[in-house]
């Protein structure tokens, strides 16, 4: 079942339960932090941006998880195959970070000793600026990235009989309940294929991102989570024959019987997929071998891919009560993706990532 939410309405009712589960292609549900009944310390809000061009990558996170705030910067070098992530934390922000209620516009910033991250969004473009001292080997990192709002017909030419419309591109939006707690929910938007320009400076060298080859994605999350979860997420953005193309894949937590978050994006138009599974290889001891080739299969046959890893951004924090084990694996997808009208896109070495994350939080 793939139930689409089309009516604008509040996300939560007067009891703090979601009003409708399913997917949408825009933020049709109105999020109000004050309507949450699931416990003030269980609220989790974050904005995560990833920018890649196949040679390098930058990930920025600002999070307010009520009892713990987070400012994270990752720089990834896919050619020399190294990465550095630094994530200073803050105690008990409890919503004071001040996230906007919508991803459409609004600013958020976090800073502390030796670091600052700022996301500014005027509704047309997003300016991501950041600086952190002693980021890698006592060297700082600094930079600024501008992400343009993707549009339907973004190839700038007629596509399948349709002229460029100027409308904002579709995105993946999903409302997911948790069976174990009726006031728990996850409201999530993923925006793919945002043309990126700007720079990252590290070790006194600048890496320049150009919109001809660099694209950003946004993971916008608001919700009340249960204590222990595992999720699988995959994403890619780029050009296919000169046309903006990308996809979002995911599963693993909550009740997704109303809809999955699997979706293709072609020239700004969403194409809904059913269920997609990540097949992570295992070694002789039965442990995941993340740097061996993966496979992706779908129950509707519309997403069948091989995935060859390049770099595993691995992070592990185990404080027993709190735990996070992350494998975000970057690499290249090859295979087929089928659009709603039956067109088959034969993909070869399309750069993206797939991850498995376990949290006790």
């Amino acid at each position: 079942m793939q139930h689409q939410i089309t009516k604008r309405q509040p996300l939560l009712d007067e009891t703090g339960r979601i009003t409708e589960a399913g997917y949408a292609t825009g933020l049709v549900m109105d999020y109000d932090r004050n309507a949450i009944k699931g416990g003030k310390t269980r609220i989790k809000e974050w904005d995560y941006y990833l920018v890649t061009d196949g040679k390098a990558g930058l990930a920025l996170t600002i999070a307010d998880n009520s009892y713990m705030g987070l400012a994270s910067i990752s720089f990834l070098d896919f050619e020399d195959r190294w990465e550095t992530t630094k994530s200073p934390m803050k105690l008990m922000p409890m919503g004071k970070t001040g996230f906007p209620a919508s991803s459409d516009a609004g600013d958020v910033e976090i800073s502390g000793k030796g670091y600052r991250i700022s996301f500014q969004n005027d509704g047309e473009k997003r300016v991501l600026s950041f600086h952190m001292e002693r980021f890698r080997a006592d060297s700082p990192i600094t930079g600024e990235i501008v992400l343009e709002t993707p549009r339907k017909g973004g190839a700038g030419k007629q596509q399948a009989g349709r002229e460029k419309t100027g409308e904002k591109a579709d995105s993946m939006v999903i409302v997911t309940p948790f069976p174990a707690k009726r006031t728990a929910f996850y409201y999530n938007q993923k925006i793919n294929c945002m043309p990126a320009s700007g720079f990252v400076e590290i070790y006194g060298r600048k890496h320049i991102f150009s919109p001809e080859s660099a694209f950003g994605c946004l993971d916008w999350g608001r919700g009340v989570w249960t204590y222990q979860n595992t999720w699988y997420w995959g994403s890619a953005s780029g050009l296919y024959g000169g046309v903006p193309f990308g996809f979002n894949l995911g599963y693993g937590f909550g009740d997704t019987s109303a809809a999955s978050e699997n979706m293709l994006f072609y020239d700004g138009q969403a194409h809904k997929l059913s269920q997609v599974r990540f097949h992570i290889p295992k070694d002789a001891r039965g442990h995941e071998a993340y740097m061996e080739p993966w496979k992706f299969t779908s129950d509707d046959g519309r997403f069948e891919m091989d995935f060859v890893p390049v770099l595993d951004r691995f992070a592990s924090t185990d404080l027993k009560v709190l735990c996070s084990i992350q494998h975000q694996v970057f690499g290249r997808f090859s295979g087929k993706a089928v659009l709603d009208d039956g067109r088959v896109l034969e993909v070869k070495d399309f750069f993206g990532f797939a991850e498995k994350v376990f949290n006790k939080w």
Side-chain angles (χ1 to χ4, degrees):
M1 179 179 180
Q2 300 296 314
H3 173 67
Q4 185 174 5
I5 303 168
T6 58
K7 182 178 72 173
R8 178 160 293 281
Q9 59 190 301
L11 175 68
L12 304 176
D13 64 18
E14 63 276 4
T15 69
R17 300 175 185 176
I18 61 171
T19 54
E20 188 174 0
Y23 83 93
T25 58
L27 289 182
V28 296
M29 309 282 273
D30 295 325
Y31 172 77
D32 179 2
R33 183 186 176 96
N34 295 322
I36 293 174
K37 307 294 186 184
K40 292 183 178 180
T41 62
R42 302 305 303 161
I43 301 172
K44 303 185 189 301
E45 301 177 321
W46 66 72
D47 289 2
Y48 167 90
Y49 288 95
L50 173 69
V51 180
T52 63
D53 61 4
K55 297 180 179 179
L58 172 75
L60 302 171
T61 306
I62 300 177
D64 187 324
N65 295 328
S66 297
Y67 58 82
M68 180 267 290
L70 183 75
S72 183
I73 301 176
S74 296
F75 182 76
L76 308 108
D77 187 322
F78 302 123
E79 295 185 311
D80 292 334
R81 302 199 178 192
W82 61 267
E83 64 88 17
T84 295
T85 298
K86 290 291 178 69
S87 304
M89 298 181 184
K90 288 193 167 188
L91 197 61
M92 302 298 286
M94 298 299 293
K96 295 185 180 68
T97 308
F99 280 99
S102 168
S103 72
D104 289 339
D107 307 335
V108 64
E109 181 179 319
I110 192 168
S111 61
K113 185 177 180 180
Y115 70 89
R116 175 182 171 273
I117 304 175
S118 171
F119 301 154
Q120 296 180 308
N121 177 11
D122 65 5
E124 290 300 322
K125 65 178 182 296
R126 302 163 193 266
V127 180
L128 320 178
S129 58
F130 56 94
H131 178 82
M132 184 176 288
E133 298 291 335
R134 302 173 66 87
F135 177 72
R136 179 179 170 90
D138 291 333
S139 294
I141 187 170
T142 192
E144 183 175 282
I145 306 294
V146 177
L147 300 178
E148 299 293 336
T149 297
R151 301 283 177 179
K152 293 182 178 180
K157 58 184 179 181
Q158 186 174 345
Q159 296 291 337
R162 176 171 50 82
E163 296 289 351
K164 182 175 179 179
T165 65
E167 298 175 12
K168 286 186 178 180
D170 291 337
S171 61
M172 192 295 300
V173 175
I174 192 165
V175 182
T176 304
F178 289 82
K181 184 176 181 180
R182 303 185 77 177
T183 53
F185 67 93
Y186 185 42
Y187 188 32
N188 180 222
Q189 181 184 39
K190 306 280 181 33
I191 302 177
N192 284 62
C193 301
M194 292 186 282
S197 58
F199 73 95
V200 179
E201 185 171 354
I202 183 171
Y203 291 140
R205 299 174 58 185
K206 282 188 177 181
H207 181 85
I208 304 297
F209 288 107
S210 168
E212 290 78 25
S213 58
F215 295 88
C217 76
L218 167 65
D219 174 11
W220 181 91
R222 306 288 188 266
V224 172
W225 286 68
T226 52
Y227 173 59
Q228 183 170 306
N229 311 98
T230 297
W231 73 61
Y232 298 81
W233 178 33
S235 180
S237 296
L239 295 175
Y240 180 89
V243 178
F245 169 68
F247 50 82
N248 183 82
L249 315 169
Y251 64 99
F253 61 88
D255 178 4
T256 56
S257 59
S260 75
E261 65 174 88
N262 303 310
M263 194 174 285
L264 305 174
F265 306 97
Y266 183 78
D267 205 17
Q269 192 79 33
H271 300 258
K272 189 69 182 70
L273 304 176
S274 180
Q275 303 297 329
V276 175
R277 285 293 177 263
F278 298 26
H279 302 277
I280 306 172
K282 294 188 176 181
D283 61 21
R285 296 176 298 171
H287 299 151
E288 281 97 345
Y290 289 98
M291 289 302 292
E292 296 298 318
W294 303 21
K295 282 190 176 294
F296 292 78
T297 61
S298 56
D299 65 349
D300 55 11
R302 292 181 55 190
F303 192 89
E304 306 290 325
M305 294 278 180
D306 295 319
F307 176 69
V308 178
V310 171
L311 180 67
D312 180 6
R313 189 194 67 78
F314 169 64
S316 178
T317 301
D318 191 353
L319 304 176
K320 303 309 178 186
V321 176
L322 298 178
C323 178
S324 182
I325 301 172
Q326 308 172 16
H327 286 272
Q328 185 181 28
V329 182
F330 294 84
R332 302 186 183 279
F333 291 86
S334 296
K336 72 170 184 178
V338 182
L339 304 182
D340 286 345
D341 62 5
R343 281 180 291 169
V344 178
L345 306 185
E346 298 289 349
V347 175
K348 178 69 173 176
D349 294 333
F350 198 76
F351 196 83
F353 75 87
E355 70 179 25
K356 179 181 180 181
V357 175
F358 170 76
N359 282 328
K360 290 194 293 187
W361 59 341

